Amino acid sequence: MKHLIHLKVNGDDYELAVAPHRTLNEVLREDLALTGTKFGCGTGDCGACTVIMNGRNVSSCLTLAVEADGKDIMTIEGLTPSGEELHPIQEAFVAYGAIQCGFCTPGMIMSAKVLLDKNPHPDEPDIRAGLSGNLCRCTGYNKIVEAIEKAAHQMNQD
Ligand code: FES
Ligand code: FES
């Protein structure tokens, strides 16, 4: 039996009938076509599926859609008002060579946003802790940490 849920996603309200076993990741990607949120491990380990729910970064693969009922969700598509220009975090990832693949990068950027929203002046350990749920098997993370430091600097000047 399906359940009626209400989500606010990137500022838009949705009413959806979802089966109880479906995850927030499935609903975002399959029902709302918000495929910027990725599906990696499906077990809460990689962070590729990270979205922001009521201000916290969560693994959308481990979050049932019914758990998200009434919640405010932001995906990578909602980072900027039009969805076309880049957010300062995205600009810094490009400028400082921190862009990794399309699977890990969106989740890293969403976790970086939560970090900078809570702590506008993070030091390196803060940044590494903020990204601790986001894995990339291909990088040493140094450029990502540097990009987030630069983004914080830029956002504090704006
Ligand atoms: S797909 Fe959700 S943590 Fe890996
Ligand atoms: S997992 Fe994306 S570049 Fe390594």
Side-chain angles (χ1 to χ4, degrees), residues 25 38-50 58-62 133:
N25 186 272
K38 301 305 181 201
F39 179 80
C41 64
T43 52
D45 295 311
C46 74
C49 65
T50 302
V58 300
S59 296
S60 61
C61 73
L62 291 186

Side-chain angles (χ1 to χ4, degrees), residues 119-153:
N119 178 3
H121 302 281
D123 59 19
E124 183 182 333
D126 293 334
I127 294 172
R128 291 189 184 274
L131 290 185
S132 60
N134 295 84
L135 303 183
C136 163
R137 68 187 72 183
C138 328
T139 179
Y141 297 95
N142 291 341
K143 287 180 182 294
I144 295 167
V145 172
E146 182 187 1
I148 295 171
E149 284 172 342
K150 303 289 189 196
H153 185 69

